[in-house]
Amino acid sequence: MTDLSFDPVYGAIVGYTQEELEFYFKSYIEQAAAALNAEHGKKDEYDYASVLQKLKEHYDGYCFDIKHRWQIYNPWSILSFLNRPYLDFHNFWLESGGGTPSLLVKYLQKFIKRSASSEELDDFLNLDFTLYADIDTLSPKITSIDQEDFPIMAILYQTGYLTIKDADGTDFEIGIPNLEVKQAFAEVILQKLTSKDKATLISYRRAVKKAAALRDFELLREKLNQLINEFSYESIARFNEAAFCDLFKVLLLFVGYVPSTEYQSALGRSDLCFSNDDSLFIIELKMASSLQQVPDKLNEAKKQIKAKKYGVRLSDKEVVLLAVVIANTDAVSSNGKPLREIAAIERVQPD
């Protein structure tokens, strides 16, 4: 028997390459663009090129060969999308049952419990992280699948949550392959860190989306804090501004947005942005170590937004500028725990 796991000759055997996607599915992608435009009530929001780009962002990025020669698409997700494009760029992989196998949940829960007060947790909240591994790490010899020290990275790699991003001989750089997997990863992380069932988290998701759509930023603050306050004190006690920014990205991914950090203008970069159908939200985030600092930090964020002209954008969406202050203090909140939550959200009107 020959192990083909990392063989570059067979590196594209389990998915579609870019060339295969464009050669075999061009007419289907064009039909999908028309279906999406009809679903969104817009004539020309999508065309062949824009759908192709979205497919790449959501479903591409897998690599399994030692030469890092092949980048392939998830075939289940591609076929599911082309069969039902009216569902938009859905997380088909997660809902197929492949995204949350019981084995993954079991070991991810064990990992989070072990690393709740260590820097490892920061690595996994940063969904753009990369880690280093070799063949033995990704394909270990298994004495028992229940062994206590079975490597979590092998679980994540073999279930599709992680993939090879770069290779140097038998040493690999490992990361999350695409947006679909980031969303799946965010959902599992959120469930495990908050210990909330899926139905409860879905109700939070709907409430956050509604608040953003209504531009009700006090309601948005309240709903995001409901999620943040479900995290254990040990999980976020050490968090700095960057870690909170990563946490917000996880929350926004779970809600269904596509967040990015450091949205650039000619004069600087914001901390976070995301968009819905109508608006582009650009956020400047500040941290307050005491409640007394909150007003000053809010003013600092507002001044930075205006000075760096974050609102001057070439966009077909309305730009919404938000100054956000996180209270990360030892002051005791109403639930008897140190305060770790959003203290203020304020919309800023551009000059």
Side-chain angles (χ1 to χ4, degrees):
M1 183 178 69
T2 302
D3 185 355
L4 305 177
S5 300
F6 297 93
D7 194 324
V9 174
Y10 302 95
I13 200 169
V14 296
Y16 298 130
T17 64
Q18 187 70 37
E19 292 75 15
E20 289 170 335
L21 181 71
E22 296 186 47
F23 182 82
Y24 292 108
F25 298 108
K26 186 174 190 296
S27 63
Y28 293 97
I29 294 171
E30 291 171 340
Q31 292 170 23
L36 285 165
N37 286 331
E39 184 67 24
H40 289 261
K42 298 180 180 179
K43 180 181 284 189
D44 56 2
E45 181 177 3
Y46 289 100
D47 58 14
Y48 175 77
S50 62
V51 172
L52 202 61
Q53 180 60 35
K54 288 282 190 181
L55 291 176
K56 187 171 189 65
E57 292 170 0
H58 281 75
Y59 310 127
D60 191 21
Y62 289 98
C63 177
F64 302 104
D65 71 84
I66 199 169
K67 297 290 188 181
H68 193 245
R69 183 174 296 167
W70 298 101
Q71 294 282 304
I72 57 175
Y73 287 81
N74 182 327
W76 173 265
S77 298
I78 290 293
L79 294 177
S80 297
F81 168 79
L82 294 176
N83 185 45
R84 296 185 291 170
Y86 50 84
L87 293 180
D88 284 330
F89 300 91
H90 195 62
N91 195 335
F92 297 104
W93 177 71
L94 181 65
E95 293 194 351
S96 72
T100 52
S102 58
L103 185 63
L104 171 66
V105 172
K106 175 182 176 182
Y107 278 94
L108 193 55
Q109 187 170 22
K110 187 181 295 184
F111 169 81
I112 289 171
K113 183 178 180 181
R114 186 180 74 240
S115 62
S117 59
S118 76
E119 291 183 2
E120 282 184 292
L121 185 57
D122 294 3
D123 289 338
F124 281 87
L125 282 176
N126 172 12
L127 298 184
D128 295 315
F129 71 86
T130 54
L131 302 172
Y132 294 94
D134 55 20
I135 287 179
D136 290 338
T137 304
L138 299 183
S139 185
K141 295 180 175 62
I142 301 173
T143 304
S144 169
I145 201 67
D146 291 322
Q147 67 191 62
E148 185 69 24
D149 60 347
F150 189 85
I152 186 67
M153 195 181 298
I155 296 275
L156 295 172
Y157 174 74
Q158 293 177 22
T159 53
Y161 276 84
L162 300 180
T163 195
I164 297 171
K165 293 286 192 177
D166 200 3
D168 180 13
T170 58
D171 295 324
F172 306 119
E173 193 172 339
I174 305 299
I176 297 176
N178 53 44
L179 184 57
E180 180 181 41
V181 183
K182 283 185 180 181
Q183 289 172 333
F185 202 100
E187 181 164 331
V188 174
I189 284 283
L190 203 55
Q191 277 188 268
K192 295 301 112 187
L193 282 176
T194 64
S195 300
K196 290 297 179 183
D197 59 60
K198 190 167 184 176
T200 301
L201 290 175
I202 287 173
S203 71
Y204 284 154
R205 175 162 60 196
R206 291 172 65 89
V208 169
K209 272 193 166 183
K210 181 179 179 180
L214 294 173
R215 313 282 178 82
D216 187 337
F217 300 117
E218 183 56 33
L219 179 61
L220 181 64
R221 185 181 78 87
E222 176 188 328
K223 293 303 177 183
L224 287 174
N225 279 339
Q226 284 180 355
L227 285 168
I228 293 170
N229 288 329
E230 294 296 340
F231 285 71
S232 70
Y233 168 73
E234 291 78 14
S235 296
I236 62 174
R238 310 168 290 102
F239 275 16
N240 57 20
E241 186 176 309
F244 269 109
C245 197
D246 288 336
L247 174 58
F248 282 135
K249 287 181 70 176
V250 170
L251 295 176
L252 291 169
L253 277 165
F254 172 73
V255 169
Y257 298 124
V258 183
S260 60
T261 51
E262 296 189 334
Y263 201 84
Q264 189 165 354
S265 75
L267 298 175
R269 294 185 178 94
S270 63
D271 289 318
L272 185 65
C273 72
F274 67 97
S275 63
N276 59 17
D277 289 340
D278 304 311
S279 305
L280 171 64
F281 297 87
I282 300 178
I283 296 171
E284 186 60 37
L285 183 69
K286 298 297 179 186
M287 184 85 75
S289 58
S290 71
L291 294 179
Q292 289 75 22
Q293 283 187 349
V294 171
D296 289 340
K297 291 292 183 180
L298 188 62
N299 285 331
E300 184 181 332
K302 290 158 64 176
K303 287 178 181 178
Q304 187 168 332
I305 287 169
K306 292 188 176 185
K308 296 189 175 180
K309 299 186 182 298
Y310 294 151
V312 181
R313 306 247 64 89
L314 288 174
S315 174
D316 58 351
K317 297 182 177 183
E318 182 183 3
V319 177
V320 179
L321 305 170
L322 297 177
V324 177
V325 179
I326 300 294
N328 190 12
T329 88
D330 290 329
V332 177
S333 63
S334 59
N335 64 8
K337 297 179 181 179
L339 195 63
R340 310 279 188 261
E341 64 180 26
I342 302 171
I345 298 180
E346 187 171 317
R347 183 173 183 178
V348 181
Q349 296 298 335
D351 291 332

